[in-house]
Amino acid sequence: MDEITLNTQMRSDYGRKAAKEYRAAGLLPANIYGLGKENLTVTVDRKEFSQIFMAGHRIFTLEVGEDKEQGVIKEVQYDALGSELLHVDFSRIDIHQKITLEVAVEVIGTVANGALDVPMKEIKVESLPAGFPSSITINVVEMKVGDVLRVSDLEAPEGCTFAEEPDALVAQVSAIEEEEEEVWSGDPKEWKRCRYHRGGRTGPLSRVGSLRYHDSSAPHNSAAVDREPPDRVALQERRGEDDVAVGV
């Protein structure tokens, strides 16, 4: 990973009200701790941190006044909706000691057939702070239906090891299942109570998605097999009912 420098400012006000005021000013409350040193309460530029964090960076050089601290993101807190950054914790690191971080899995290429599933979005990697890759790439161009890719199939970058179970699933290719057309063979009156949608309005259609009306009384292969059921509006007026959804 590239070395990222983040400027911080010491803060002296604490509590929910102070944190809200900091965020309103474009600052993000943060803590720096670890390695037996004094805990520091600081703020960082909220927009700058968000951009760097979303780009996948996790290791920072934190400028605190005239001092510099090497730190890794330990925890990021969001609001209840998960859209607004509230707080970040940095843990100090020793550049000569290995640490474990989750690194994004990057997919290269597309599969020719089937549906690709990548359940492992990030993979745990152990390395010295300076040796972390920005991502772990997997090439899926040659994968076919039924193929699976596990951690043991990946080659770790130089100086790195994977801190995952060797048989953990990274990616797989499955056959695409075609949707079968369902045929309604029940009471035509019940069919007319189905809810359907066309251009934002409801209307008297006999088709709902891939569901067809089937008149079981008609002879096989007869033209009546796919005919329109009786008038829906008249049926509703007699019953005084609105549309009722029927599970399909």
Side-chain angles (χ1 to χ4, degrees):
M1 290 183 180
D2 297 332
E3 181 178 348
I4 302 296
T5 300
L6 195 63
N7 184 51
T8 71
Q9 298 177 11
M10 296 296 294
R11 60 186 172 102
S12 56
D13 296 330
Y14 308 97
R16 183 175 300 179
K17 181 180 179 180
K20 187 175 181 180
E21 292 175 350
Y22 282 127
R23 290 192 290 269
L27 301 174
L28 183 66
N31 292 334
I32 305 173
Y33 58 86
L35 294 184
K37 297 181 180 180
E38 178 187 4
N39 291 353
L40 301 179
T41 54
V42 299
T43 61
V44 297
D45 184 274
R46 190 176 180 185
K47 183 177 181 181
E48 180 185 11
F49 173 79
S50 179
Q51 292 175 340
I52 296 173
F53 179 69
M54 295 305 294
H57 296 285
R58 299 294 182 267
I59 300 176
F60 295 84
T61 297
L62 303 168
E63 292 185 343
V64 186
E66 297 181 356
D67 298 327
K68 291 186 178 181
E69 302 269 9
Q70 300 293 327
V72 61
I73 295 176
K74 193 67 174 181
E75 182 181 6
V76 175
Q77 296 178 7
Y78 288 86
D79 65 354
L81 298 178
S83 58
E84 182 181 1
L85 282 169
L86 299 180
H87 190 277
V88 59
D89 284 340
F90 296 97
S91 177
R92 294 185 180 94
I93 55 176
D94 184 336
I95 61 174
H96 302 294
Q97 293 182 356
K98 289 186 175 182
I99 59 175
T100 301
L101 289 178
E102 290 186 340
V103 178
V105 173
E106 180 182 0
V107 177
I108 303 297
T110 58
V111 294
N113 296 293
L116 176 66
D117 180 31
V118 186
M120 185 174 288
K121 308 300 182 185
E122 295 180 322
I123 184 169
K124 292 179 181 178
V125 177
E126 184 182 58
S127 171
L128 291 173
F132 277 95
S134 58
S135 64
I136 299 297
T137 59
I138 58 172
N139 193 324
V140 300
V141 173
E142 297 184 359
M143 292 186 70
K144 304 180 294 296
V145 173
D147 287 350
V148 297
L149 192 64
R150 302 187 184 277
V151 171
S152 58
D153 300 319
L154 304 180
E155 183 177 353
E158 184 178 357
C160 300
T161 57
F162 294 127
E164 301 277 4
E165 292 295 331
D167 61 346
L169 181 64
V170 178
Q172 63 181 352
V173 179
S174 305
I176 300 176
E177 297 183 1
E178 296 184 1
E179 183 180 356
E180 296 183 1
E181 185 181 53
E182 299 179 27
V183 178
W184 179 271
S185 58
D187 187 343
K189 294 181 179 179
E190 292 296 326
W191 168 266
K192 296 310 292 183
R193 301 176 68 191
C194 289
R195 180 181 295 279
Y196 49 89
H197 187 276
R198 180 179 64 178
R201 300 180 179 180
T202 55
L205 300 177
S206 64
R207 296 179 184 270
V208 181
S210 61
L211 189 66
R212 290 193 298 112
Y213 167 70
H214 174 76
D215 188 348
S216 57
S217 64
H220 186 60
N221 293 331
S222 167
V225 170
D226 199 23
R227 69 186 183 185
E228 294 285 340
D231 182 59
R232 162 184 171 277
V233 177
L235 179 63
Q236 287 185 347
E237 289 178 347
R238 290 198 302 270
R239 295 183 174 179
E241 297 177 345
D242 294 327
D243 285 347
V244 178
V246 176
V248 296

